[in-house]
Amino acid sequence: MIKLSVLDQSPVSSGSTPKEALKRTVELAKLTEELGYHRFWVAEHHNTNGLAGSSPTLLMTHLASHTSRIRIGSGGVLLPQYSPYKVAEDAQLLENLFPNRIDLGLGRSPGGDALTRLALTDGVRKSLNEFPRQIQALKGHLEHNLPSDHPYYGVTAYPLSETKPELWHLGINKRGARSAAELGISFTFGHFIYSVGGQEAIRHYKQEFIPSSYQSKPKTNVCVFVVCAETTEEAERHAKTLDDWLLKVAKGGDTTISSIEEVHNRSYSEEELKKISTNRPRMIVGNPVEVKQGLTQLQKKYDNDEFLIITNIHDYEAKKKSYELLAELFPQPSFF
């Protein structure tokens, strides 16, 4: 059985606005809850006009208020830019408001270029290598068991909560898997970012997992781009806007998702066409039969517990249809 969840980056389509993108994120959370999806995560991105989700915790509060059962989470909070103590406070506040519905996914990504990072930290140069230490400190704040020699021992993250958010470590390599295993928390592999090395990372995570107060067994999900439509031709038509968008993201500048018409009228260099081909393993595109086969094969490859589905295409109605078709392909049992 394939368990389905969602990652949404609140992408801004050309001709639309960030306000509309955020509104569509809320609509998609409601729809996927009705369809039985297990969790709905939002991302954190900075200094980019094509992704409206710059503050996952703020957006999570709004989404949880407009849904009633689906788990709401971050995919993820970029911990290197922040204080573990403050992130713990935010997580416990959310857990008090929405008990047993909050996922705290944590990422090591810088969230932007060097100047953007400095703007986020107000000029403090923080090392990404501190990420494992920061997660350990965050876990200590959430569990209220910082060691006595910790510099912030005696500082409590309020408000206290009777339940705890699920902790997820986001990664694209063996290093992230090792960290998640040592901490005894769940692991997400970002296939949509990097489609190589996931098998080894997840295998290592499961082999090295150390049970913790958070969970006794390893738990995994894999995030992948999916575009599903009634026909292969229709799916490919929409997927071309994703192909084009990934090129734009790599270049920087305007990162809004171009329309099908704009993409059709655009000419690509040989290098760009090669890059589009290289990006295709990061996604599954096709009709329902093809997509079902693709996801089933990917699960056999990774032996993962669930998929986070991300569908960054221009046409929002086609995006909703893709999630609806997936729910028909893989009927979800009640997790609530």
Side-chain angles (χ1 to χ4, degrees), residues 66 170 175 223:
H66 284 78
L170 281 55
R175 177 178 57 188
C223 188

Side-chain angles (χ1 to χ4, degrees), residues 1-6 27-40 67-72 305-309 320 323-336:
M1 192 275 293
I2 290 181
K3 186 189 297 185
L4 297 176
S5 293
V6 182
E27 290 177 359
L28 188 63
K30 291 179 178 180
L31 172 65
T32 51
E33 178 177 69
E34 292 173 3
L35 294 171
Y37 283 71
H38 187 48
R39 63 184 93 241
F40 191 100
T67 54
S68 59
R69 303 181 307 278
I70 194 168
R71 295 191 66 88
I72 300 296
D305 300 309
E306 71 180 277
F307 283 107
L308 283 169
I309 307 299
K320 289 196 300 182
Y323 281 102
E324 289 168 349
L325 289 172
L326 278 175
E328 293 174 8
L329 288 173
F330 304 103
Q332 300 296 290
S334 175
F335 297 112
F336 311 112

Side-chain angles (χ1 to χ4, degrees), residues 37-245:
Y37 283 71
H38 187 48
R39 63 184 93 241
F40 191 100
W41 285 5
V42 290
E44 178 177 352
H45 294 275
H46 302 283
N47 196 25
T48 178
N49 70 324
L51 298 172
S54 57
S55 179
T57 49
L58 281 176
L59 189 50
M60 284 166 64
T61 305
H62 189 66
L63 291 171
S65 297
H66 284 78
T67 54
S68 59
R69 303 181 307 278
I70 194 168
R71 295 191 66 88
I72 300 296
S74 58
V77 169
L78 304 182
L79 188 57
Q81 325 313 332
Y82 307 114
S83 152
Y85 175 68
K86 181 56 182 171
V87 174
E89 285 188 324
D90 288 347
Q92 291 192 161
L93 179 59
L94 280 166
E95 188 65 25
N96 271 284
L97 290 170
F98 311 102
N100 295 312
R101 290 187 59 207
I102 300 301
D103 295 335
L104 182 57
L106 304 162
R108 182 179 175 273
S109 167
D113 58 22
L115 186 60
T116 302
R117 283 201 67 212
L118 283 176
L120 283 167
T121 61
D122 198 23
V124 178
R125 296 184 181 275
K126 300 177 72 173
S127 172
L128 296 179
N129 294 328
E130 292 292 305
F131 185 56
R133 177 196 63 79
Q134 287 186 299
I135 295 188
Q136 188 69 59
L138 170 63
K139 193 163 172 276
H141 284 303
L142 290 171
E143 296 176 325
H144 313 295
N145 66 353
L146 287 174
S148 58
D149 60 348
H150 192 278
Y152 304 124
Y153 178 76
V155 177
T156 301
Y158 292 106
L160 301 180
S161 56
E162 296 177 1
T163 57
K164 291 182 292 190
E166 279 192 19
L167 280 183
W168 289 78
H169 189 306
L170 281 55
I172 55 171
N173 52 40
K174 193 173 176 179
R175 177 178 57 188
R178 181 184 302 113
S179 178
E182 290 173 352
L183 290 164
I185 61 177
S186 303
F187 178 63
T188 295
F189 181 74
H191 181 97
F192 78 114
I193 298 173
Y194 193 58
S195 61
V196 178
Q199 267 182 298
E200 183 183 8
I202 290 178
R203 187 185 311 116
H204 182 79
Y205 164 72
K206 290 184 175 182
Q207 290 173 347
E208 301 299 320
F209 182 84
I210 301 172
S212 70
S213 62
Y214 272 86
Q215 58 200 68
S216 59
K217 300 186 298 183
K219 183 187 295 186
T220 61
N221 62 30
V222 171
C223 188
V224 58
F225 285 118
V226 176
V227 182
C228 187
E230 295 287 2
T231 65
T232 303
E233 294 73 21
E234 181 73 1
E236 285 291 341
R237 200 164 69 93
H238 293 292
K240 283 180 170 54
T241 66
L242 173 55
D243 291 330
D244 181 80
W245 179 74

Side-chain angles (χ1 to χ4, degrees), residues 284-332:
I284 295 174
V285 178
N287 63 41
V289 173
E290 293 164 333
V291 168
K292 184 171 186 176
Q293 181 181 31
L295 280 175
T296 301
Q297 289 176 346
L298 203 60
Q299 188 186 44
K300 288 180 180 177
K301 172 183 176 181
Y302 284 131
D303 190 27
N304 54 302
D305 300 309
E306 71 180 277
F307 283 107
L308 283 169
I309 307 299
I310 176 171
T311 308
N312 284 2
I313 57 178
H314 184 274
D315 190 316
Y316 178 61
E317 292 303 316
K319 177 175 179 173
K320 289 196 300 182
K321 183 65 174 178
S322 182
Y323 281 102
E324 289 168 349
L325 289 172
L326 278 175
E328 293 174 8
L329 288 173
F330 304 103
Q332 300 296 290

Side-chain angles (χ1 to χ4, degrees), residues 242-275:
L242 173 55
D243 291 330
D244 181 80
W245 179 74
L246 288 173
L247 290 179
K248 293 171 75 174
V249 169
K251 292 177 182 177
D254 177 22
T255 57
T256 57
I257 304 180
S258 299
S259 67
I260 292 173
E261 293 74 21
E262 290 170 322
V263 171
H264 180 74
N265 293 326
R266 192 164 290 160
S267 58
Y268 296 98
S269 66
E270 285 189 21
E271 183 180 350
E272 287 175 324
L273 291 173
K274 183 178 179 180
K275 184 62 177 175

